[in-house]
Amino acid sequence: MSFISYLTRIHFAELVLEDALGEEVARLGAARPVIVIDADGRIGDGVGRLESTLPAECVLHWADWIDAWGRLRDPEAIRAKAADDGCDVIVAFGGREAQAFGRRLAGQGRPRLPLIAVPTTTADMGVVAGTPSSRRDAVHTAMPAAVLCDPTLTYGLDPRRTAAFGFGALTRSIEAFLAPGYNPPADGIALEGIHRASRYLARAVDDGADPEARREVMAAALNGALAGQKGLGGAEALARAIEVESREALPHGQLHASVLPPVLSFNAPAVGDRYGRIATAMGAKPGSDLIAALADLAGRLGLPEKLGHLGLGPTALRRAALGAAADLATQTNPRHATEEDYLRLLLEAR
């Protein structure tokens, strides 16, 4: 098992849930965890494993934090109830929603409770670096005291979500590598994430229980999260904005294959030789076209090439362009992008 210290404590290994969760609860001097869980946390045998792993003296508290209409309950009310019950640590167990809510819960109120993050998908690895998706998140969320990355918790993910989450992780590494600023360690981490995602993602989609593929895709997502501290870019900004406008419940990463090509074309004048270095990390032949290589990978994964299936009209596209221009990821896009630029990119992607 490897142990990484990079802003926070990270345990990474198969079955690390059983190996490290009790250790981290004890290290924090905690005994009464409040468990934040979403639908992704209930896939497979994860809940049973979690319950059997916590120390016997722990008293479990499960936060029923989604109401009958699928809306997020007030984190302050849950925090207050957790405090009344004597809870002393938060365990965020699940996908993107559980991790985001756990960070908000840990970042609000007094006294603040430490957070242990246990992601069960590769869509939520931004929790490792605490990368905010909005200015509100930057103020109201907390870094985890520890993160447990256990690839076996992702075995139950279906192919569509595996493809979407994995391509989203690949995009995160690509955009982190392209983000302006001098950060050689982040660049190296990003290139390694690109290599791992490109090599193993299709295998993970084809066989959801392939141990090597699942491990390497989670490692690629971890790389993308760590490198993402350097910054992201226009593809992430657009994807998040479109998700807000879409009437479909889309797994994060489902739209990256559609918006990444036009964003890369837009950014090309500002990135020097970096597209060639990305193509090399993907294992493409020298002189290969990066955008074509990414489109080929997305096609093999069954991800949509365009956005037309969402049925977004002119008003929704305009709102999405406005949202992308205001997104924090836009600030580190290698080329300055305005609302009008984003609208043109959306029309190209449609």
Side-chain angles (χ1 to χ4, degrees), residues 208-291:
D210 180 330
E212 182 181 29
R214 285 290 181 181
R215 180 181 67 246
E216 295 304 317
V217 170
M218 179 166 264
L222 174 60
N223 278 51
L226 294 174
Q229 296 171 66
K230 181 187 173 192
L232 297 174
E236 181 69 18
L238 276 174
R240 291 198 288 230
I242 299 166
E243 286 172 2
V244 172
E245 297 300 325
S246 174
R247 296 180 180 179
E248 296 184 29
L250 300 168
H252 189 64
Q254 180 77 10
L255 303 178
H256 287 76
S258 303
V259 299
L260 186 57
V263 169
L264 290 177
S265 295
F266 174 80
N267 287 335
V271 298
D273 66 348
R274 295 212 156 202
Y275 286 0
R277 296 173 66 185
I278 293 172
T280 299
M282 291 181 64
K285 295 179 181 178
S288 296
D289 182 279
L290 173 62
I291 296 175

Side-chain angles (χ1 to χ4, degrees), residues 69-83:
W69 295 272
R71 295 177 302 202
L72 199 65
R73 295 187 189 275
D74 180 10
E76 182 59 26
I78 294 176
R79 190 210 63 77
K81 185 179 187 305

Side-chain angles (χ1 to χ4, degrees), residues 2-331:
S2 60
F3 177 75
I4 308 166
S5 181
Y6 190 93
L7 293 185
T8 189
R9 294 167 60 87
I10 305 170
H11 298 265
F12 192 116
E14 283 82 358
L15 304 179
V16 79
L17 174 67
E18 285 80 358
D19 290 340
L21 181 57
E23 171 191 331
E24 289 297 334
V25 171
R27 182 182 68 85
L28 293 168
R32 298 177 71 92
V34 55
I35 311 297
V36 175
I37 190 168
D38 61 8
D40 284 325
R42 300 184 186 280
I43 294 174
D45 61 354
V47 171
R49 289 173 59 189
L50 175 65
E51 290 178 319
S52 64
T53 297
L54 285 167
E57 62 271 21
C58 285
V59 179
L60 298 180
H61 291 258
W62 297 82
D64 182 16
W65 56 278
I66 296 181
D67 65 20
W69 295 272
R71 295 177 302 202
L72 199 65
R73 295 187 189 275
D74 180 10
E76 182 59 26
I78 294 176
R79 190 210 63 77
K81 185 179 187 305
D84 290 343
D85 291 342
C87 294
D88 48 16
V89 64
I90 299 164
V91 176
F93 188 85
R96 199 163 177 245
E97 290 79 12
Q99 301 307 326
F101 188 74
R103 285 175 56 194
R104 287 178 60 196
L105 192 61
Q108 296 182 12
R110 293 289 187 276
R112 293 196 174 184
L113 302 181
L115 169 66
I116 299 173
V118 187
T120 62
T121 79
T122 53
D124 41 76
M125 299 298 287
V127 69
V128 173
T131 307
S133 60
S134 68
R135 290 175 176 82
R136 185 181 187 280
D137 283 349
V139 174
H140 296 291
T141 62
M143 280 288 294
V147 182
L148 277 56
C149 297
D150 186 339
T152 65
L153 293 172
T154 72
Y155 284 6
L157 286 176
D158 61 81
R160 176 174 177 255
R161 288 159 68 77
T162 298
F165 295 157
F167 202 90
L170 172 62
T171 301
R172 180 179 286 267
S173 282
I174 289 172
E175 293 208 306
F177 181 66
L178 296 174
Y182 188 73
N183 191 331
D187 287 348
I189 292 170
L191 287 173
E192 184 63 19
I194 292 166
H195 171 72
R196 291 176 185 272
S198 302
R199 182 174 180 182
Y200 290 99
L201 182 52
R203 271 178 56 181
V205 171
D206 291 340
D207 182 357
D210 180 330
E212 182 181 29
R214 285 290 181 181
R215 180 181 67 246
E216 295 304 317
V217 170
M218 179 166 264
L222 174 60
N223 278 51
L226 294 174
Q229 296 171 66
K230 181 187 173 192
L232 297 174
E236 181 69 18
L238 276 174
R240 291 198 288 230
I242 299 166
E243 286 172 2
V244 172
E245 297 300 325
S246 174
R247 296 180 180 179
E248 296 184 29
L250 300 168
H252 189 64
Q254 180 77 10
L255 303 178
H256 287 76
S258 303
V259 299
L260 186 57
V263 169
L264 290 177
S265 295
F266 174 80
N267 287 335
V271 298
D273 66 348
R274 295 212 156 202
Y275 286 0
R277 296 173 66 185
I278 293 172
T280 299
M282 291 181 64
K285 295 179 181 178
S288 296
D289 182 279
L290 173 62
I291 296 175
L294 288 166
D296 178 69
L297 176 60
R300 284 188 283 138
L301 298 174
L303 294 170
E305 181 182 357
K306 295 290 184 179
L307 301 172
H309 65 286
L310 298 177
L312 299 178
T315 301
L317 290 174
R318 171 62 71 176
R319 285 197 303 262
L322 179 62
D327 194 287
L328 284 178
T330 292
Q331 296 181 5

